[in-house]
Amino acid sequence: MGVSRLDVLYRRLLLTKLFIQGWGKPEDLKRIFAFRKIIGNRERCKDLVQRDYPVFIDKVEDHTDCKIHNGHFISPLEHFVPGILPAESVKARFQFIVPKKWKRHRPVCIHLAGTGDHFFWRRRTLMARPMVKESGMASLLLENPYYGYRKPKDQLRSSLKNVSDLFVMGGALILESAVLLHWLEREGFWPLGMTGISMGGHMASLAVTNWPKPIPLIPCLSWTTASSVFTTGVLSRAVNWRELEKQYAAHTVYEEEIINMLEYCGTDSFRMGQEFVKNAPGSFDRLTDLYLTHDLLDLHSPKRDHQMGLRSTCSQPGTGDHASDSALLMGRRERDGLDQMLSAVSSSRPHLDMLHAKNITCGAGQRHSLQRESLCFMKGVMDECTHIANFSVPVDPSLIIIVQAKEDAYVPRTGVRSLQEIWPGCEVRYLNGGHVSAYLFKQGLFRQAIYDAYDRFLQKYSSL
């Protein structure tokens, strides 16, 4: 299956850059990586958030079919990793849309925001209000750190300044979701579940891994890890690779300390990369064709096969002129090969390969070597904090319904472990088209997946 032309063209219209200030402070990266090892284990973190954690309602708005409660609480992340959140993000804000008439039980679904989804109006209009009318289901909309009222004053729109900001956002949302689930339980709402679209779906998936009870989960347009999003997806061309490469070359802390904190995120991805190298030794020469097919993504491919420690290899971001859109939609086999090579960094000890990578010399010289090392480092740190395999399996994966777009160019699935393998028993539904078209025109199918997951929960756990 190819990639959506609409996804590619839509991304070209957006000129904003991501991670303009680089990786983030090395100390912040080390602190959030250390905390990830706690929240990645449900048994270790299930008691981090108190059941009676304080939540406050500030205002209630009365509408014809529902009441909208506006509330806030202090993010628990501020207590466990003080100062890691920007001052504007410490206070977590939410809207709770409650139907005036319940149809069956008092179900609530927590919606986490996708990329660019500031404040609440988008989720309220496209998901929450229709769900009140269609099923009598309440929705709780949590505002992401770095977004809306929680956006730092010096941040431009949705453009996170540092790579570490994404990891801080994820850690905060995991704990904040637990606060809200506990609060909803105290208030007598049931059943409870979580959903989100794109980045919101991935964040909801991470949050559910830490909840100690069966819970419906409906992640839409998200997958196993964010690493492919920023290394092979169309968003990769929005990344400020120049600054990332500059910082990686200038500070030895990345290779001497941070790499050693990375943990397992899937030996199967590493094996896929090895198999690609082993079975297609001539493929690297042919990857020069990717100069065209990946130019739109700012990803150029190496011309030769370089042996790197355990034989893992990465492509690197480029800086050449952009090719035509049609070129991106060609060369599927070569694209698959690139994704497989990038997945090789997700080995059981990814830092070993990155340490070896420091001794590489590429055909185009030191510049290509630095590009490759920076991309490998991005893959490693993204997998560390966002790869689903680095977190506990939800209590009952059969309550999970994943909705995916077949031609999603934002969230590549090639060369990445499938969620069915990591979460045995979950269901995946595929929609025709890409990321953008699914978001614009398939909201009704997202809502139907939510209803189906809740029905499944009630069939299995009606006595709870």
Side-chain angles (χ1 to χ4, degrees), residues 219-288:
C220 304
L221 307 182
S222 66
W223 201 233
T224 312
T225 176
S227 63
S228 59
V229 173
F230 297 105
T231 56
T232 62
V234 292
L235 275 183
S236 62
R237 71 182 292 251
V239 173
N240 185 8
W241 291 107
R242 289 286 189 179
E243 182 62 26
L244 295 176
E245 293 162 12
K246 176 182 175 182
Q247 293 183 11
Y248 184 79
H251 301 286
T252 59
V253 64
Y254 296 115
E255 63 170 317
E256 292 179 356
E257 298 181 43
I258 293 178
I259 284 177
N260 288 302
M261 299 182 72
L262 307 186
E263 289 188 349
Y264 167 87
C265 55
T267 55
D268 64 325
S269 293
F270 175 57
R271 184 173 62 251
M272 291 173 67
Q274 286 182 310
E275 288 299 313
F276 179 78
V277 174
K278 177 180 178 181
N279 297 328
S283 299
F284 291 91
D285 294 327
R286 295 197 301 272
L287 284 178
T288 54

Side-chain angles (χ1 to χ4, degrees), residues 54-61 68-74 91-96 120 143 149 183:
V55 175
F56 306 95
I57 298 298
D58 305 311
K59 182 178 66 172
V60 180
E61 304 170 16
I68 300 179
H69 303 252
N70 295 271
H72 78 275
F73 57 94
I74 301 302
K91 179 186 287 188
R93 301 173 184 267
F94 65 89
Q95 277 194 353
F96 186 27
F120 308 107
E143 189 167 58
Y149 293 112
W183 178 68

Side-chain angles (χ1 to χ4, degrees), residues 6 13 19 47 57 65 130 133 165 185 195 197 225 232 235 247 252 312 342 361 393 404 407 409 429 458 461 464:
L6 178 59
L13 297 176
F19 315 136
D47 297 322
I57 298 298
D65 59 342
K133 295 178 181 179
D165 293 346
E185 277 193 337
T195 189
I197 301 173
T225 176
T232 62
L235 275 183
Q247 293 183 11
T252 59
S312 71
L342 284 169
T361 55
V393 176
Q404 257 292 338
E407 300 178 356
R429 299 179 181 179
L458 290 171
Y461 301 102
L464 290 181

Side-chain angles (χ1 to χ4, degrees), residues 108-364:
V108 180
C109 187
I110 297 176
H111 301 248
L112 299 189
T115 302
D117 190 355
H118 294 261
F119 304 104
F120 308 107
W121 66 269
R122 193 179 302 177
R123 283 170 289 164
R124 185 176 63 239
T125 302
L126 298 178
M127 295 292 286
R129 295 295 290 270
M131 288 171 64
V132 167
K133 295 178 181 179
E134 294 169 355
S135 68
M137 184 179 293
S139 294
L140 195 152
L141 317 179
L142 174 62
E143 189 167 58
N144 288 1
Y146 301 94
Y147 277 23
Y149 293 112
R150 306 179 72 183
K151 184 177 75 68
K153 295 179 181 178
D154 59 347
Q155 176 182 301
L156 178 64
R157 296 191 289 275
S158 309
S159 300
L160 299 182
K161 294 181 296 181
N162 305 291
V163 173
S164 61
D165 293 346
L166 183 67
F167 308 149
V168 172
M169 179 191 292
L173 288 173
I174 289 172
L175 298 179
E176 292 167 13
S177 297
V179 169
L180 293 172
L181 288 168
H182 284 308
W183 178 68
L184 291 169
E185 277 193 337
R186 295 200 310 269
E187 296 296 317
F189 296 99
W190 182 88
L192 309 178
M194 295 196 66
T195 189
I197 301 173
S198 191
M199 180 180 71
H202 194 82
M203 295 300 184
S205 297
L206 297 180
V208 164
T209 65
N210 283 275
W211 188 243
K213 301 177 182 179
I215 181 173
L217 168 65
I218 309 88
C220 304
L221 307 182
S222 66
W223 201 233
T224 312
T225 176
S227 63
S228 59
V229 173
F230 297 105
T231 56
T232 62
V234 292
L235 275 183
S236 62
R237 71 182 292 251
V239 173
N240 185 8
W241 291 107
R242 289 286 189 179
E243 182 62 26
L244 295 176
E245 293 162 12
K246 176 182 175 182
Q247 293 183 11
Y248 184 79
H251 301 286
T252 59
V253 64
Y254 296 115
E255 63 170 317
E256 292 179 356
E257 298 181 43
I258 293 178
I259 284 177
N260 288 302
M261 299 182 72
L262 307 186
E263 289 188 349
Y264 167 87
C265 55
T267 55
D268 64 325
S269 293
F270 175 57
R271 184 173 62 251
M272 291 173 67
Q274 286 182 310
E275 288 299 313
F276 179 78
V277 174
K278 177 180 178 181
N279 297 328
S283 299
F284 291 91
D285 294 327
R286 295 197 301 272
L287 284 178
T288 54
D289 296 337
L290 287 177
Y291 186 85
L292 292 177
T293 59
H294 275 70
D295 218 3
L296 189 58
L297 308 183
D298 277 358
L299 287 174
H300 300 306
S301 302
K303 296 183 179 180
R304 295 182 57 84
D305 177 6
H306 297 285
Q307 304 300 321
M308 295 178 11
L310 296 176
R311 300 185 73 186
S312 71
T313 182
C314 284
S315 179
Q316 71 280 353
T319 56
D321 297 330
H322 297 309
S324 67
D325 298 336
S326 60
L328 179 66
L329 306 177
M330 299 170 61
R332 178 64 182 171
R333 181 169 58 184
E334 287 82 356
R335 223 173 14 250
D336 291 352
L338 177 64
D339 292 333
Q340 288 173 333
M341 287 189 295
L342 284 169
S343 70
V345 185
S346 298
S347 66
S348 57
R349 301 268 320 265
H351 56 279
L352 291 178
D353 302 300
M354 294 182 219
L355 288 172
H356 282 294
K358 275 295 182 183
N359 297 319
I360 296 173
T361 55
C362 295

Side-chain angles (χ1 to χ4, degrees), residues 392-456:
S392 300
V393 176
V395 173
D396 187 352
S398 71
L399 302 177
I400 301 171
I401 299 179
I402 301 131
V403 184
Q404 257 292 338
K406 291 181 179 178
E407 300 178 356
D408 197 324
Y410 281 81
V411 186
R413 297 186 300 276
T414 302
V416 179
R417 293 184 70 185
S418 71
L419 283 174
Q420 296 105 311
E421 180 182 352
I422 300 172
W423 292 341
C426 70
E427 177 187 349
V428 180
R429 299 179 181 179
Y430 291 98
L431 308 178
N432 292 325
H435 197 91
V436 174
S437 63
Y439 182 85
L440 293 175
F441 307 116
K442 303 298 175 63
Q443 300 274 345
L445 295 177
F446 298 159
R447 296 195 298 272
Q448 186 58 54
I450 293 172
Y451 307 149
D452 293 345
Y454 274 69
D455 287 343
R456 192 173 298 172

